[in-house]
Amino acid sequence: GPKVLQIPSHQIIDMGQMVTLNCDPVSNHLYFYWYKQILGQQMEFLVNFYNGKVMEKSKLFKDQFSVERPDGSYFTLKIQPTALEDSAVYFCASSLWGGKDTQYFGPGTRLLVL
Amino acid sequence: GDSVTQTEGQVALSEEDFLTIHCNYSASGYPALFWYVQYPGEGPQFLFRASRDKEKGSSRGFEATYDKGTTSFHLRKASVQESDSAVYYCALGDLRQGGRALIFGTGTTVSVSP
């Protein structure tokens, strides 16, 4: 199926530092998403993004979080500053359209905040 | 709010056993239902979806029928293999809304022994 890439696969940083997670979505997709999964728990939605704007965000998407996709490059999730509770696996997804259209997920970035 | 319930947290089977994972949903809009499978260290992989009453989705020997009356989308496979060991997620989308977040169930860990 369609491939979503994520860079890096693992990241360890100290609390208070900034981190940027990068996502290379499927090339013709228009909608982009970030989800968070704490070890052993279910996937939880953070934010979605379309046409250069955040469309919807959850309570988990704190003020320290931001997303962008400058000029069709990577779709990024930035956390500044990081907190211990940000340790999780972050999955990027993309879909061609919204609604019932399928979201395809990347392999995740495993973030550990010390 | 909208929600997805997966009854089974863990299922242990032997090869060639029949698998059933129950998924029920509650939605106020126009639901689309999805099944994803997640292997260790990877992102969720799309299995199939359905968005109309009595529509059947299927892939790799797995199948589920969307039942609007019972608000269910139960996953079934007639004869499992060791390679089917993974976590299975039922997810809920919305037909109306572009780029709507998926709501995931808590996941079912399936372990198949040879």
Side-chain angles (χ1 to χ4, degrees):
Chain A
K3 295 289 185 193
V4 175
L5 304 177
Q6 289 187 243
I7 301 165
S9 59
H10 295 77
Q11 181 85 53
I12 301 174
I13 59 170
D14 291 323
M15 182 176 63
Q17 286 190 317
M18 181 193 78
V19 67
T20 300
L21 309 184
N22 298 291
C23 171
D24 188 9
V26 178
S27 60
N28 60 337
H29 282 187
L30 301 176
Y31 291 84
F32 313 110
Y33 313 79
W34 284 103
Y35 290 82
K36 178 181 180 181
Q37 186 177 43
I38 294 174
L39 187 63
Q41 298 184 23
Q42 72 193 96
M43 195 85 61
E44 292 187 281
F45 167 75
L46 284 176
V47 65
N48 55 11
F49 191 84
Y50 168 72
N51 198 25
K53 300 187 193 111
V54 170
M55 292 170 40
E56 183 186 5
K57 56 187 179 181
S58 74
K59 291 180 296 187
L60 296 178
F61 194 78
K62 304 180 295 185
D63 291 343
Q64 297 89 326
F65 289 31
S66 62
V67 292
E68 63 176 355
R69 192 184 188 216
D71 300 324
S73 60
Y74 287 146
F75 175 51
T76 62
L77 173 66
K78 185 183 292 186
I79 309 174
Q80 181 178 27
T82 50
L84 295 177
E85 60 265 27
D86 296 331
S87 295
V89 183
Y90 291 84
F91 291 99
C92 173
S94 69
S95 65
L96 179 56
W97 304 111
K100 69 175 182 179
D101 201 36
T102 298
Q103 293 180 27
Y104 293 92
F105 286 78
T109 293
R110 283 139 191 83
L111 176 65
L112 178 60
V113 182
L114 302 176
Chain B
D2 293 358
S3 64
V4 175
T5 302
Q6 285 181 242
T7 313
E8 297 86 359
Q10 297 196 8
V11 174
L13 299 166
S14 299
E15 283 193 324
E16 299 183 14
D17 280 352
F18 192 97
L19 169 69
T20 300
I21 301 175
H22 294 95
C23 172
N24 289 88
Y25 68 90
S26 172
S28 55
Y30 297 83
L33 277 299
F34 300 78
W35 276 104
Y36 283 84
V37 57
Q38 187 176 27
Y39 299 99
E42 299 183 13
Q45 292 179 22
F46 169 70
L47 270 179
F48 54 82
R49 70 181 188 215
S51 55
R52 296 187 307 272
D53 190 23
K54 302 297 184 281
E55 181 180 358
K56 181 174 164 180
S58 64
S59 175
R60 309 185 209 175
F62 293 91
E63 61 179 42
T65 300
Y66 177 6
D67 189 323
K68 198 173 175 183
T70 58
T71 60
S72 66
F73 193 54
H74 305 318
L75 181 70
R76 294 185 167 92
K77 186 174 186 182
S79 176
V80 294
Q81 302 301 311
E82 193 176 0
S83 57
D84 294 324
S85 297
V87 181
Y88 293 81
Y89 289 98
C90 184
L92 172 68
D94 191 305
L95 288 175
R96 293 173 305 172
Q97 301 181 27
R100 172 73 185 272
L102 288 175
I103 298 172
F104 282 83
T106 49
T108 299
T109 301
V110 174
S111 302
V112 181
S113 54

